[in-house]
Amino acid sequence: MATLVAPEHFTPEDDAIVLYKAVKGWGTDESAIIAIMGHRNATQRQQIRQIYEDMYEEDLIKRLESELSGNFEKAMYRWILEPSDCYAVLANVALKNVSRDYHVIVEIASVLKPEELVNVRRAYQYRFHHSLEEHVAAHTSSGYFRQFLVGLVSSFRYDGDYIHPSLAKYEAEILHEAIQNKNGNLDEVIRILTTRSKKQLKATFNRYRDDHGYSISKRLLNEESDDFLKAAHVAIRCIDDHKKYYEKVLRGALKRIGTDEDELTRVVVTRAEKDLKDIKELYYHRNSVRLEDAVASEISGDYKRFLVTLIGREY
Amino acid sequence: MATLVAPEHFTPEDDAIVLYKAVKGWGTDESAIIAIMGHRNATQRQQIRQIYEDMYEEDLIKRLESELSGNFEKAMYRWILEPSDCYAVLANVALKNVSRDYHVIVEIASVLKPEELVNVRRAYQYRFHHSLEEHVAAHTSSGYFRQFLVGLVSSFRYDGDYIHPSLAKYEAEILHEAIQNKNGNLDEVIRILTTRSKKQLKATFNRYRDDHGYSISKRLLNEESDDFLKAAHVAIRCIDDHKKYYEKVLRGALKRIGTDEDELTRVVVTRAEKDLKDIKELYYHRNSVRLEDAVASEISGDYKRFLVTLIGREY
C-alpha cells in the first residue's frame, strides 16, 4: 500500500495559483509547496504542471529548480517528473556518477513491471537521444557484467500466470552449480535471470530454498564478489521480494555515517505512491524504529519535511 | 510503396456476408475469398474478422483454416492475422522448425521499427505464454550467437535523428577489426549491432564503405562462417537496406529447384502493404524479370492467384 495521502478531488488551477504565489518574488514558501506537492498523485502532479505552464507560461519544474536547492530540490524534481521520466533520470544519473551506481540500473530493470520498463526506455530515448541499453553498454566494459546489465534493461518478460514447476527445479540447479559452486555456465545464469518471467523465477528461487535449505541470495556474496555477482544479487533480491530489498536499502542509507540521501530519496520518491507502507512495516519490524522517525532524525529542513510527508506523516 | 490495392471505403458487413457464402456448405469459393482479402488493408481485415465473428459466431481464421489447405492456407492465415501477431507466429514457426530458420528471427528484429518490435514481443507473449527472448534463448546454446540473437530481439533502439559521426568512424573500425580481420572483440560487435540506432548504424556502415572501399557485408561470409557471422550478415543487410535484402530473399526463394514457399509467402505477406512495390522494382532491375511473372511461373493454383494479387496484379 501507498503512504501518499492525496485527495480524490482537487482543482489543478487552485494548486497552480498557490504554487505561483509560493515561488514569485523574493523568497520561496517551501511549506506551501510541500503542502500541495506532498499530497498529489502522479496524474494530479502532471495536471498541475500542465495547468501551471498554461497559466504562467513557464515550466513549473524549471521554476522550482531555480527556487529550491540541495536534496530538497533533487527530491522535488524527481517527484514532479512523470514516473517513467523520473526512472529515466535516475538511470542516467546512476550511469554518469563516478561511483557507477549500477545497482540502481539493476533495481529499475528488475522491480518495474515489463510494460513499465518499456515506458522508461521510451522516456529515456526521448530525453537522452540514446537508448538506455546503448548507454548501459557504452558505460561498461565487455564481459558477463555488461551482458547481464544490458539483458536486464532490455527485458520484456512474460507477465502472465503460467509457471513450469519442472523448469524451476532444473534451473534452480543450474543457478546453484554456476553461482554457489562457481563452476557453472554464467551464460546460463544470465539467460535465466534476464529472460524468465518473474513468477517463474520466484518459483525457481523457492525451489532453490526447498532443495538447499537457504535462499539463493543468502551465500551469494563474499569479499571477492565481482560486479557481476553483485548485480546478480541485487536482481535476485528485487525479483524475489522487492519490498524487503527496499527495506534494506533504506536501512543502509540511514545507518551510514552521513546519510545516503540519493538512496533515501530514490526509494521514498519511487515507492510512496506504490508500496512504501508495506516497506515501512518491514522497516519497523526489522529495526524497532519507525521509518519516519529514523528519517526525521537523520535529515533536516525542507528536505526532511517533504520526505516525511511522502512517508505519510506530517511534521 | 505498397503493392496492395485496397479501397478507401468498404463495408465490412458486406465482406463478411460474401466470405460466409464462400465457405458455407460443400466446396469453397476460393476466388471470392481472394477477391476480398487480397484487397483489404490490415485495419480492414481486422474489422472484417470482428464483424464476421459477431455475425456468425465463429472465428473467420479458424473457418478458413479448415476450408483451405497447403501454401494457400498458410499465406491466407498469416495475411489475416493482425501484423504483430503474424510476426509472432513467423518467429515461433522459425524457432520450432527443424531447419532452425534463425534468419527469420534476425530479419524481424532488424527490419521492424523499434515500437513495432515491442508490439511483436507483446503479441508473442499473449499467444505463447513466454517472452520471445525466452524462447530464442532456450532454443539456442550459449555463446556469441545466442547473445546476439537475444540482444537483437530485445532491442528497443533509439529512433530519432541524432547521429554521431565520430562514433561512426570509431565503431566502423571496431567492426572491421573484429569481423573482417577476425581478431577483435565479438562482444563489441554485438554491443554495436544490438544497441545503436539504425541511423547511427547506417552512418557506421557508410563510413566503413568510405574507409575500405567495399561494404561491410561484402566479404563477411565464406564457407567456414559460423552461425554468429551468418546472423550478423543478415542483421547488417536488414539494417543497411532491407529492400535489397528482401529482393535477395525473393531471388533465392524463386531460383531454388522447388521454390521455397515459406520464404516467398513471408516476404509477400509482410511487405505487400509496406514497400513491396520498391522491392519489385529492385527485383526487376536485378533479374530482368518481373516479380509477378517469376512468381506466377513457379507456383500455381489459388496460392499463385492470391500471392500475385498481393503483388499487385490480377491473374
Side-chain angles (χ1 to χ4, degrees):
Chain A
M1 273 185 68
T3 51
L4 177 73
V5 181
E8 236 180 277
H9 303 288
F10 87 117
T11 318
E13 291 82 356
D14 293 349
D15 284 355
I17 293 168
V18 175
L19 289 170
Y20 186 69
K21 278 189 196 150
V23 296
K24 83 166 177 188
W26 288 58
T28 309
D29 185 352
E30 285 88 357
S31 300
I33 299 171
I34 294 172
I36 290 181
M37 284 306 188
H39 294 290
R40 298 292 180 271
N41 66 35
T43 314
Q44 295 171 338
R45 299 194 298 275
Q46 294 318 305
Q47 288 176 302
I48 294 171
R49 194 180 163 190
Q50 186 57 55
I51 284 278
Y52 185 95
E53 178 140 17
D54 294 345
M55 288 168 71
Y56 303 110
E57 291 179 347
E58 66 173 14
D59 184 352
L60 176 60
I61 290 195
K62 289 216 174 103
R63 183 62 189 253
L64 288 176
E65 267 189 299
S66 76
E67 297 286 334
L68 312 179
S69 64
N71 285 308
F72 178 45
E73 176 208 331
K74 261 197 203 175
M76 186 61 78
Y77 178 77
R78 281 152 180 64
W79 179 246
I80 300 186
L81 292 178
E82 193 276 320
S84 303
D85 198 23
C86 170
Y87 282 113
V89 168
L90 287 170
N92 188 259
V93 167
L95 285 174
K96 287 197 308 195
N97 254 0
V98 276
S99 59
R100 301 270 185 240
D101 304 327
Y102 292 122
H103 69 282
V104 177
I105 306 289
V106 177
E107 173 189 308
I108 292 172
S110 307
V111 170
L112 295 190
K113 291 193 175 73
E115 291 285 355
E116 290 174 338
L117 182 56
V118 172
N119 288 336
V120 172
R121 294 166 81 185
R122 198 177 284 118
Y124 194 96
Q125 294 184 23
Y126 186 75
R127 188 175 267 272
F128 301 110
H129 308 304
H130 284 273
S131 70
L132 173 57
E133 57 270 33
E134 192 176 2
H135 271 171
V136 168
H139 280 82
T140 47
S141 17
S142 58
Y144 289 121
F145 178 58
R146 174 159 91 188
Q147 192 184 337
F148 183 51
L149 243 57
V150 170
L152 283 177
V153 301
S154 305
S155 70
F156 183 54
R157 303 176 194 270
Y158 166 61
D159 201 20
D161 290 328
Y162 287 78
I163 290 177
H164 302 263
S166 59
L167 202 62
K169 178 178 167 52
Y170 175 68
E171 297 192 337
E173 260 332 278
I174 295 181
L175 293 177
H176 184 72
E177 270 307 299
I179 31 188
Q180 221 75 35
N181 292 343
K182 299 188 195 318
N183 58 2
N185 187 338
L186 291 188
D187 261 325
E188 282 292 280
V189 175
I190 293 174
R191 173 185 67 76
I192 294 167
L193 293 181
T194 62
T195 70
R196 291 300 183 199
S197 79
K198 290 191 189 177
K199 285 196 179 125
Q200 180 69 40
L201 284 173
K202 281 183 196 178
T204 302
F205 301 157
N206 282 333
R207 184 71 207 208
Y208 191 102
R209 248 179 232 110
D210 294 344
D211 289 352
H212 299 284
Y214 56 91
S215 79
I216 176 170
S217 59
K218 194 82 179 172
R219 302 188 193 167
L220 203 57
L221 295 184
N222 57 41
E223 301 77 45
E224 298 146 32
S225 293
D226 60 6
D227 283 345
F228 170 68
L229 222 48
K230 284 181 196 160
H233 187 253
V234 174
I236 289 170
R237 290 192 50 112
C238 286
I239 291 166
D240 197 28
D241 188 339
H242 71 268
K243 295 177 194 170
K244 273 174 76 177
Y245 164 82
Y246 280 123
E247 185 280 326
K248 197 174 175 185
V249 173
L250 288 173
R251 184 162 19 116
L254 292 166
K255 241 183 14 189
R256 276 184 36 167
I257 302 169
T259 311
D260 191 331
E261 286 89 357
D262 282 348
E263 296 277 286
L264 178 61
T265 299
R266 189 181 76 254
V267 178
V268 172
V269 161
T270 59
R271 306 317 297 181
E273 211 170 326
K274 295 188 165 170
D275 48 19
L276 192 52
K277 198 160 187 182
D278 308 320
I279 298 167
K280 249 168 85 167
E281 275 167 27
L282 288 173
Y283 188 91
Y284 184 72
H285 189 72
R286 176 67 176 71
N287 304 285
S288 308
V289 179
R290 289 189 306 174
L291 178 63
E292 52 269 45
D293 295 336
V295 169
S297 74
E298 290 293 327
I299 62 176
S300 61
D302 298 318
Y303 177 48
K304 165 178 134 181
R305 283 187 297 147
F306 181 44
L307 284 208
V308 170
T309 301
L310 293 184
I311 299 174
R313 172 156 181 176
E314 307 291 337
Y315 262 75
Chain B
M1 273 186 67
T3 52
L4 176 73
V5 181
E8 234 179 280
H9 304 288
F10 86 117
T11 317
E13 289 82 355
D14 293 350
D15 284 356
I17 292 168
V18 175
L19 289 169
Y20 186 69
K21 277 188 196 151
V23 296
K24 79 168 180 186
W26 289 58
T28 310
D29 184 352
E30 283 87 357
S31 301
I33 298 171
I34 294 171
I36 289 182
M37 283 307 189
H39 293 290
R40 297 292 181 270
N41 65 33
T43 313
Q44 295 170 338
R45 300 195 297 277
Q46 294 320 304
Q47 288 175 302
I48 295 170
R49 194 179 163 191
Q50 185 58 55
I51 285 277
Y52 185 95
E53 178 141 16
D54 295 346
M55 288 168 72
Y56 303 110
E57 292 179 345
E58 65 173 14
D59 184 353
L60 176 60
I61 291 195
K62 290 218 174 100
R63 183 61 188 256
L64 289 176
E65 266 190 298
S66 76
E67 296 286 333
L68 314 179
S69 64
N71 284 309
F72 178 45
E73 176 208 330
K74 262 197 204 176
M76 187 60 78
Y77 178 77
R78 282 151 179 62
W79 178 247
I80 300 186
L81 292 179
E82 191 276 323
S84 303
D85 198 24
C86 170
Y87 282 113
V89 167
L90 287 170
N92 187 258
V93 168
L95 285 174
K96 287 196 308 191
N97 254 1
V98 277
S99 59
R100 302 271 185 237
D101 304 326
Y102 292 121
H103 69 282
V104 178
I105 305 289
V106 177
E107 173 188 309
I108 293 172
S110 307
V111 170
L112 295 191
K113 292 192 174 73
E115 290 285 355
E116 289 173 337
L117 182 55
V118 172
N119 289 337
V120 173
R121 294 167 81 187
R122 197 177 284 119
Y124 194 96
Q125 293 184 23
Y126 186 75
R127 188 176 267 271
F128 302 110
H129 309 304
H130 284 274
S131 71
L132 173 57
E133 57 270 33
E134 193 176 2
H135 271 170
V136 168
H139 280 81
T140 48
S141 19
S142 59
Y144 289 122
F145 178 58
R146 176 160 89 188
Q147 192 185 337
F148 183 51
L149 243 57
V150 170
L152 283 176
V153 301
S154 306
S155 70
F156 183 55
R157 302 176 195 270
Y158 167 62
D159 202 20
D161 291 328
Y162 287 78
I163 289 177
H164 302 263
S166 59
L167 202 62
K169 178 177 165 54
Y170 175 68
E171 297 192 337
E173 259 332 276
I174 295 181
L175 293 177
H176 185 71
E177 271 305 299
I179 34 189
Q180 221 74 36
N181 292 343
K182 298 187 197 317
N183 58 2
N185 187 339
L186 292 188
D187 261 325
E188 282 293 279
V189 175
I190 293 173
R191 173 185 67 75
I192 294 167
L193 293 180
T194 62
T195 71
R196 292 300 183 199
S197 79
K198 290 192 189 177
K199 285 195 178 127
Q200 179 69 39
L201 284 172
K202 281 183 194 176
T204 301
F205 300 158
N206 283 333
R207 183 71 207 208
Y208 191 102
R209 247 179 232 108
D210 293 344
D211 289 352
H212 300 285
Y214 55 91
S215 78
I216 177 169
S217 59
K218 194 83 179 171
R219 303 187 194 167
L220 203 56
L221 295 184
N222 58 41
E223 300 78 42
E224 299 147 30
S225 293
D226 59 8
D227 284 343
F228 170 69
L229 222 50
K230 284 182 195 159
H233 187 254
V234 173
I236 289 170
R237 289 190 52 110
C238 286
I239 292 167
D240 197 28
D241 188 338
H242 70 268
K243 294 176 192 171
K244 274 174 74 178
Y245 163 82
Y246 281 124
E247 186 281 325
K248 197 173 176 187
V249 173
L250 288 172
R251 181 158 27 109
L254 293 165
K255 242 182 16 189
R256 278 183 35 166
I257 301 169
T259 310
D260 190 332
E261 287 91 356
D262 282 348
E263 296 278 285
L264 178 62
T265 299
R266 190 180 75 254
V267 179
V268 172
V269 162
T270 59
R271 308 316 298 181
E273 209 168 327
K274 295 188 165 169
D275 48 20
L276 191 53
K277 197 159 189 183
D278 308 318
I279 298 167
K280 250 168 85 170
E281 277 166 26
L282 288 172
Y283 188 93
Y284 184 73
H285 189 74
R286 176 67 176 73
N287 305 285
S288 307
V289 179
R290 289 190 305 174
L291 178 62
E292 52 268 46
D293 296 336
V295 169
S297 75
E298 291 294 327
I299 62 176
S300 61
D302 298 316
Y303 177 49
K304 164 177 136 180
R305 284 187 295 145
F306 181 45
L307 283 208
V308 170
T309 302
L310 293 184
I311 299 174
R313 172 156 180 174
E314 307 289 338
Y315 263 75

